[in-house]
């Protein structure tokens, strides 16, 4: 936990993702995805152990990651929101019994899938959250769709009589030469536009995805989300893209 102490010293919050499954629990055919009482209990116990290790001060715990599109090997028949709510309920009730101040966030959806989010809320999902999180990607388009997604999220929360904050725990634009990529200049523009909009709309936290490119293959968008170039870049290790400069400039401006 040395790095958590370093974050605290710099007044930085920590967001931890509780993922993924363990093939030693539940049906091996599901690769450890929590799908029944026993495997959900095991996952909830893991969540408690994580909170014991990392604490509750300035820390948020997300339950799973992008369940709605099958991340973590969630099979198609389990991707319905009601199955995620079963897991979330087990985690929240177990963690809160020992750590009532722990901040639990979800459903960590990929995009803002309106129908899936409605199913999540209708299944009682908002009852087990301290913050609503999702990943409202819109690449290769600009940041304009974020307004719609935030409006929909706020309306969903209000429709269930809740008052919980919104966290954007992933958002970014890949560079490179894929048909789904943005130019480096547009990456910077879209990031700063989206951060400014999120702040104006009262979003509690925004995490830029991601910090450093994972590789040098320009056609692979998963390698090119970073605002810093990779250590192997011939221009120099961790050379900043324009997005790093623009987001950094915005951060300094709003911190004054």
């Amino acid at each position: 936990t040395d790095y958590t102490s370093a974050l605290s010293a710099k007044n930085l919050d920590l967001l931890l993702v509780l993922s993924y499954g363990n093939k030693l629990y539940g049906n091996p055919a599901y690769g450890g995805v929590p799908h029944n009482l026993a495997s959900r209990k095991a996952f909830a116990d893991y969540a408690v152990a994580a909170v014991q290790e990392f604490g509750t001060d300035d820390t948020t715990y997300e339950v799973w990651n992008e369940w709605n599109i099958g991340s973590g090997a969630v099979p198609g028949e389990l991707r319905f929101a009601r199955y995620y709510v079963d897991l979330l309920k087990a985690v929240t009730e177990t963690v809160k019994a020992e750590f009532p101040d722990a901040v639990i966030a979800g459903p960590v959806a990929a995009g803002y899938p309106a129908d899936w989010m409605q199913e999540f809320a209708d299944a009682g999902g908002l009852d087990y959250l301290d913050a609503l999180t999702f990943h409202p990607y819109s690449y290769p388009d600009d940041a304009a769709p974020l307004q719609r997604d935030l409006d929909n999220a706020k309306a969903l929360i209000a429709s269930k009589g809740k008052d919980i904050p919104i966290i954007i725990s992933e958002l970014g634009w890949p560079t490179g030469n894929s048909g789904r990529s943005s130019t480096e200049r547009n990456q910077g523009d879209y990031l700063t536009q989206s951060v400014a909009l999120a702040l104006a709309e009262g979003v509690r936290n925004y995490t830029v995805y991601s910090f450093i490119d994972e590789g040098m293959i320009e056609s692979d968008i998963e390698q090119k989300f970073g605002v810093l170039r990779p250590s192997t870049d011939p221009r120099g290790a961790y050379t900043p893209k324009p997005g790093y400069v623009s987001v950094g400039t915005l951060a300094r401006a709003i911190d004054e």
Side-chain angles (χ1 to χ4, degrees):
T1 57
D2 287 348
Y3 72 93
T4 60
S5 299
L7 289 173
S8 179
K10 293 182 179 296
N11 197 31
L12 293 173
D13 295 342
L14 176 64
L15 186 146
L16 290 172
V17 184
L18 299 172
S19 60
Y20 287 109
N22 187 325
K23 64 183 180 181
L24 297 178
Y25 297 91
N27 186 341
Y30 287 161
V33 175
H35 65 282
N36 57 21
L37 286 174
S39 56
R40 287 193 290 269
K41 180 183 183 304
F43 190 92
D45 290 342
Y46 148 67
V48 168
V51 179
Q52 287 173 335
E53 177 68 19
F54 296 104
T56 59
D57 293 340
D58 302 317
T59 302
T60 298
Y61 294 89
E62 286 190 312
V63 178
W64 210 263
N65 175 62
E66 299 186 346
W67 181 284
N68 62 303
I69 63 169
S71 293
V74 177
E77 62 267 28
L78 291 183
R79 294 180 192 177
F80 296 104
R82 62 184 180 274
Y83 296 119
Y84 174 82
V85 172
D86 288 340
L87 175 62
L88 178 64
K89 179 177 185 289
V91 169
T92 299
E93 291 182 344
T94 304
V95 169
K96 295 281 191 179
E98 293 195 38
F99 301 97
D101 295 331
V103 177
I104 305 296
V108 207
Y112 188 89
D115 291 343
W116 193 93
M117 295 292 282
Q118 186 65 56
E119 180 191 345
F120 168 78
D122 289 344
L126 295 176
D127 294 338
Y128 306 108
L129 291 180
D130 298 300
L132 184 77
T133 62
F134 53 96
H135 303 160
Y137 289 107
S138 58
Y139 63 86
D141 295 333
D142 61 20
L146 180 59
Q147 183 69 66
R148 174 203 63 209
D149 294 338
L150 291 175
D151 288 344
N152 286 338
K154 289 182 177 181
L156 184 71
I157 293 169
S159 73
K160 299 300 182 181
K162 302 296 182 181
D163 183 19
I164 58 174
I166 293 171
I167 292 175
I168 296 175
S169 53
E170 279 187 30
L171 185 54
W173 281 262
T175 60
N177 59 18
S178 163
R180 302 171 68 196
S181 302
S182 300
T183 66
E184 291 191 356
R185 178 172 179 174
N186 282 345
Q187 182 197 50
D189 289 345
Y190 300 160
L191 282 171
T192 51
Q193 290 165 11
S194 62
V195 170
L197 173 59
L199 290 172
E201 290 295 326
V203 171
R204 197 189 80 179
N205 296 95
Y206 180 122
T207 300
V208 173
Y209 185 86
S210 59
F211 189 43
I212 303 171
D213 279 349
E214 295 181 6
M216 291 292 297
I217 301 176
E218 296 291 319
S219 60
D220 184 353
I221 64 170
E222 291 301 324
Q223 294 191 23
K224 304 303 292 182
F225 274 94
V227 292
L228 297 180
R229 298 183 177 92
S231 61
T232 54
D233 195 290
R235 286 163 288 193
Y238 313 123
T239 306
K241 298 181 187 177
Y244 179 87
V245 179
S246 58
V247 173
T249 301
L250 176 63
R252 286 191 297 272
I254 63 178
D255 190 48
E256 293 178 352

